[in-house]
Amino acid sequence: MEIKVVRNILEANDRIASQNRGLFIEKGIYVLNLMGSPGAGKTSLLERTLEHLKERKRIAVIEGDIETSRDAERIARFNIPTVQINTGGACHLDGNMVRGSLAELSLDQVDLLIVENVGNLVCPAEFQIGENDKAMILSVAEGDDKPLKYPLMFQVSSVLLLNKVDLIPYLDFDMERFRADALKVNPKLQIMTVSCKTGEGLDAWFRWIEGQLA
Ligand SMILES: Nc1nc2c(ncn2[C@@H]2O[C@H](COP(=O)(O)OP(=O)(O)O)[C@@H](O)[C@H]2O)c(=O)[nH]1
Ligand SMILES: [Mg+2]
């Protein structure tokens, strides 16, 4: 019984997500769903990406959080259209929440929409929002065992940004084991090691995202 209810919820969400998708295609917008644990560096990556791309592409941001508009306030300095969604407890954004926020954006003037999902390694992976790609960011401080513990998020992502590599000297992070496990759950996963603090490795990320927009 319970399984059926969950399936119904996911199917209803998929219908709304595909309507969002249709709208994004019609408007020529590339949509990225950025996922990861609280503190992994989602907003930091967003800030770096905006610094790099904002003069050349028309970007809008949707910030998902359980409470507060802190991340939207961080993005405000870039002067780009930003909408904050507070889920009021829900651990992920869904198609309906994203659809509800689109009225706040002038979609005809957007090339790239980046959605920072609620910090969580589990639920956001299950809910489509109408995105082109899902990307996940994991920080080395979270440990090298996460691909096998949270496989779904690794499976549904096109790109994995392994962030905070500047901290590796202080941790016991086994890079080879991590890569092998991540590729075991998703052989197509593109893995980029980055530091949003020092900027190391971000060139590969910028090339990837610009490639998606080309
Ligand atoms: N050392 C280090 N700290 C980072 C890096 N990226 C982000 N942080 C810090 O990690 C904390 C959480 O980052 P934030 O972008 O807010 O994560 P979010 O919760 O995923 O959006 C902040 O204090 C950032 O300054 C990094 O590459 N290296
Ligand atoms: Mg954030």
Side-chain angles (χ1 to χ4, degrees):
M1 185 63 179
E2 208 170 295
I3 289 171
K4 191 166 169 232
V5 172
V6 171
R7 199 192 306 131
N8 287 347
I9 290 170
L10 290 174
E11 282 172 5
N13 182 68
D14 283 351
R15 274 197 299 282
I16 297 171
S18 69
Q19 289 163 9
N20 291 349
R21 182 94 210 91
L23 181 63
F24 295 141
I25 290 170
E26 182 193 320
K27 302 285 182 188
I29 304 173
Y30 173 85
V31 182
L32 184 79
N33 182 358
L34 180 60
M35 311 177 297
S37 310
K42 298 179 295 300
T43 311
S44 303
L45 181 74
L46 203 44
E47 289 168 323
R48 286 286 192 164
T49 307
L50 294 175
E51 274 159 22
H52 182 76
L53 269 185
K54 146 184 170 158
E55 300 303 330
R56 282 175 290 135
K57 297 289 174 190
R58 299 173 302 172
I59 310 176
V61 169
I62 294 177
E63 282 291 350
D65 268 306
I66 290 177
E67 296 287 350
T68 85
S69 55
R70 295 234 171 132
D71 285 355
E73 285 155 25
R74 278 170 69 182
I75 300 304
R77 71 186 165 100
F78 293 97
N79 267 321
I80 58 155
T82 305
V83 187
Q84 176 81 50
I85 300 177
N86 282 137
T87 63
C91 52
H92 59 272
L93 294 177
D94 64 22
N96 202 32
M97 294 177 205
V98 170
R99 180 165 72 180
S101 71
L102 295 178
E104 314 271 326
L105 299 169
S106 304
L107 294 179
D108 286 323
Q109 277 145 55
V110 176
D111 305 312
L112 167 63
L113 173 62
I114 305 181
V115 181
E116 178 178 343
N117 217 310
V118 178
N120 186 329
L121 269 187
V122 185
C123 319
E126 302 219 36
F127 286 82
Q128 311 286 340
I129 55 171
E131 66 276 67
N132 294 67
D133 283 296
K134 293 182 171 72
M136 72 172 289
I137 179 162
L138 185 99
S139 64
V140 290
E142 292 167 70
D144 54 26
D145 57 355
K146 296 300 168 290
L148 299 185
K149 285 189 168 179
Y150 300 92
L152 185 63
M153 186 154 292
F154 291 81
Q155 273 157 11
V156 298
S157 296
S158 307
V159 175
L160 162 64
L161 292 124
L162 181 64
N163 188 34
K164 308 196 189 183
V165 291
D166 56 291
L167 297 180
I168 279 193
Y170 311 102
L171 301 165
D172 298 316
F173 189 93
D174 185 335
M175 187 66 81
E176 273 181 32
R177 174 174 122 156
F178 176 79
R179 276 183 178 279
D181 287 349
L183 291 172
K184 198 186 293 170
V185 296
N186 179 0
K188 290 194 189 142
L189 188 63
Q190 296 199 49
I191 304 173
M192 299 169 191
T193 52
V194 302
S195 168
C196 290
K197 186 182 169 94
T198 67
E200 180 187 341
L202 285 174
D203 279 357
W205 162 246
F206 296 147
R207 273 199 303 279
W208 185 84
I209 188 94
E210 288 186 70
Q212 301 306 103
L213 292 170

